[in-house]
Amino acid sequence: VSIEEPQTIWPEAFWLEAITSGTLPLTQCNDCGSVHFYPLMVCRACGSTSLSSKQSAGKGTVYSATQSFQPGSPIISIIELDEGLRILAHLEEKILEIGTRVELASIDTNAAPKVIFKAAL
Amino acid sequence: MTQINASLRAKAAMVAAATAGTGVAPAGAGFMELAGQATLKALAQVGLSVRDVDGVFGASMSRLLWPIDFAEYMGIKPHFCDGTQIGGASFQAHALSAALALEAGLCSVALIVFGATTRSKRGPWPTLRDADLFLDPYQAEGLHTYAMAAQRHIHEYGTTRDQLSAPAVSARQWAGLNPEAFKRDPLTLEAVAQAKMIATPLTVADCCLVTDGAAAIIMTRADRAVDLVTRPAYLLGAGVALDGTNPALRDTLTTTVATQSSKRAYAMAGVAPPDVSMLQLYDAFTINVLLFLEDLGFCAKGEGGPMAASGVIAPGGRLPTNTNGGGLSCVHPGMYGSFMLAETFAQVSQSAGGRQVGTPNVVVCHGNGGNLSAQVTTIWGSGDAV
């Protein structure tokens, strides 16, 4: 496991810039190969500090989803991306069946960036 | 790997516990007053004064610096405190740190205390954190994590609607035996299923209550406990495990890290699931009970539904669970962990009145915090178990 000085770039700012431009930025560990979505400075899987960035193709399956009956009633989900990691997302339509193929629909950047998926074509 | 040190086993005990203002607090009563009344009631059981308390433990969603504020209110000058805030499981963690502090001589009378008027003064939940860029847009924490865990449990193990409902029906049966319980009218499987939907698949009857209430627990070293009461509840073992807040980062939603916290607690206590006579499981939602029956080793993974539905956890069953009516039917003012300790003490000290279940010798009291984020298993025993 590589244990290097922390990068001088702050990963959160880097991530925000990438996602605001409409892509799903990923971080890959150069040691164990684990892929992560939320910005980090150390690999959550193995502790390595040797990381590089890549981009998600934006395709995956529904790991779990719930229709909230709270105000706003979003469809809240966890998506398993084809790159092998899971992220939080909202679904554009009511898809509660686990395993449904989905793809990135949009990223709402009006406030904190929100990832929205839809059924794959 | 950590070697579990059993030297803490049975070194400290609960000697008193009391609740106050559970359900709907008396008009005008504040959370500080409820917590104060529970404290005075508990101390009176063992003839101690508030001046004898030198260790303060607790967490609150009403006051960020709870041990400071509550100690000031009661005129306590603590030698030791622990205000660890890991949600509803905080109080099980406090029991562990109280045992450590008592054994190390850092304090001699430990008070674990909580009070809230979550129902009667319902308002916006306090914000104890800054905005979270990665969680806030999704509303995925809190109840929605439990809903998604239930969806996965149904998907992976074929758990049925009625199996998911079983802990709510069982809790209500226990509540019927407890005059302090907030909801005591009979509840059927059909009524749970047909209740208002909150987040698929959870209906309002799958969700814990929102009540008022306070609880206070007094712990001392074991050698002092036997001078104070005839039936102390000894802390045999305890274990902690954390699993973050973001549910997308977990390995799975159908196995919690209660597998790890319970393993640590069993190792310290020197007991195994077949030795356990009673369970207090943090039932913020019905799915919790299924997950914890599995993760604490009382059935195989995926068998929580059939086990709950078999009636073994209900009154008359071989594994009495949530004997006060639980967070689902008795009391849940935002955080439930302190009330579980109070019920554990009531049962081990045989002072639970109409809901007393024989002479439980080994009780597992398992706390859960956040959205299945914090798991703290405590194991308590009677003098016979020690």
Side-chain angles (χ1 to χ4, degrees):
Chain A
V1 168
S2 306
I3 303 171
E4 297 164 2
E5 285 290 303
Q7 303 168 45
T8 48
I9 183 169
W10 296 101
E12 192 167 308
F14 180 81
W15 181 90
L16 255 179
E17 194 182 314
I19 197 165
T20 305
S21 75
T23 63
L24 289 181
L26 303 178
T27 304
Q28 183 151 33
C29 175
N30 295 328
D31 279 316
C32 77
S34 295
V35 186
H36 309 275
F37 177 57
Y38 308 98
L40 38 71
M41 53 178 64
V42 60
C43 174
R44 206 176 278 118
C46 77
S48 169
T49 56
S50 176
L51 307 167
S52 49
S53 53
K54 61 185 274 181
Q55 227 181 75
S56 169
K59 296 183 187 306
T61 58
V62 174
Y63 174 76
S64 194
T66 181
Q67 178 176 16
S68 172
F69 290 83
Q70 308 288 93
S73 297
I75 308 293
I76 299 163
S77 72
I78 297 173
I79 303 301
E80 191 154 296
L81 294 176
D82 290 347
E83 288 84 2
L85 70 157
R86 295 188 203 130
I87 66 170
L88 296 175
H90 280 181
L91 293 171
E92 211 175 59
E93 55 219 301
K94 185 179 165 183
I95 307 167
L96 297 181
E97 196 178 337
I98 289 169
T100 305
R101 288 291 297 170
V102 289
E103 63 188 24
L104 182 64
S106 60
I107 296 170
D108 179 351
T109 54
N110 287 322
K114 179 162 69 183
V115 176
I116 301 163
F117 272 68
K118 61 181 180 184
L121 293 173
Chain B
M1 285 303 290
T2 310
Q3 224 24 57
I4 297 293
N5 190 335
S7 66
L8 207 59
R9 182 185 192 277
K11 290 294 167 61
M14 290 192 279
V15 295
T19 60
T22 57
V24 180
F31 66 87
M32 204 62 105
E33 293 168 309
L34 296 183
Q37 192 181 69
T39 299
L40 295 175
K41 280 166 72 178
L43 287 167
Q45 291 171 14
V46 280
L48 293 174
S49 139
V50 74
R51 292 308 223 174
D52 295 311
V53 176
D54 56 4
V56 174
F57 301 76
S60 166
M61 294 176 80
S62 311
R63 291 288 173 88
L64 182 58
L65 309 181
W66 175 241
I68 295 175
D69 293 357
F70 188 72
E72 176 189 72
Y73 181 64
M74 300 299 279
I76 298 168
K77 307 286 184 192
H79 298 191
F80 190 83
C81 70
D82 180 4
T84 295
Q85 170 59 283
I86 49 171
S90 300
F91 308 89
Q92 279 65 38
H94 297 147
L96 172 57
S97 55
L100 281 165
L102 290 163
E103 174 63 6
L106 298 175
C107 64
S108 58
V109 175
L111 165 69
I112 302 172
V113 63
F114 169 82
T117 48
T118 317
R119 185 178 190 88
S120 58
K121 296 190 177 126
R122 200 167 187 173
W125 290 86
T127 302
L128 301 180
R129 60 169 200 179
D130 285 353
D132 187 321
L133 189 57
F134 314 110
L135 274 168
D136 294 350
Y138 301 103
Q139 305 167 44
E141 74 271 39
L143 97 95
H144 297 131
T145 294
Y146 294 91
M148 287 192 281
Q151 294 281 72
R152 283 299 304 186
H153 206 274
I154 291 164
H155 175 76
E156 291 178 30
Y157 306 113
T159 303
T160 67
R161 176 61 260 186
D162 281 356
Q163 289 168 351
L164 187 61
S165 304
V169 172
S170 166
R172 190 61 61 85
Q173 290 169 347
W174 284 112
L177 304 173
N178 181 7
E180 254 192 44
F182 184 62
K183 286 217 169 184
R184 305 185 66 203
D185 52 313
L187 183 68
T188 62
L189 293 172
E190 295 70 31
V192 178
Q194 285 159 19
K196 183 185 168 205
M197 189 64 83
I198 298 294
T200 327
L202 304 177
T203 71
V204 69
D206 288 301
C207 305
C208 63
L209 305 170
V210 178
T211 69
D212 300 331
I217 295 96
I218 309 297
M219 287 179 69
T220 68
R221 285 173 57 104
D223 51 11
R224 184 165 184 194
V226 291
D227 295 333
L228 290 169
V229 288
T230 48
R231 295 189 190 89
Y234 298 90
L235 182 65
L236 301 180
V240 176
L242 302 183
D243 202 18
T245 296
N246 190 324
L249 296 182
R250 297 185 190 150
D251 293 339
T252 166
L253 280 186
T254 51
T255 299
T256 71
V257 292
T259 51
Q260 299 166 29
S261 65
S262 63
K263 190 176 170 190
R264 289 162 196 153
Y266 289 136
M268 188 188 292
V271 303
D275 305 318
V276 174
S277 37
M278 175 179 285
L279 296 176
Q280 306 297 338
L281 303 178
Y282 199 113
D283 56 343
F285 299 90
T286 47
I287 184 65
N288 294 38
V289 176
L290 274 52
L291 292 171
F292 297 149
L293 286 172
E294 297 165 1
D295 295 345
L296 274 64
F298 293 94
C299 62
K301 182 45 69 181
E303 294 296 317
M307 184 176 182
S310 75
V312 295
I313 64 172
R318 69 172 163 79
L319 198 56
T321 299
N322 298 348
T323 48
N324 59 349
L328 289 166
S329 280
C330 180
V331 59
H332 198 306
M335 293 198 286
Y336 172 58
S338 59
F339 301 92
M340 304 169 64
L341 291 172
E343 178 63 10
T344 300
F345 178 74
Q347 291 286 344
V348 174
S349 65
Q350 295 178 40
S351 55
R355 66 184 188 282
Q356 180 67 44
V357 185
T359 55
N361 282 326
V362 179
V363 180
V364 167
C365 179
H366 179 81
N368 161 74
N371 48 341
L372 296 169
S373 309
Q375 304 299 330
V376 187
T377 310
T378 58
I379 303 174
W380 303 84
S382 65
D384 287 346
V386 175

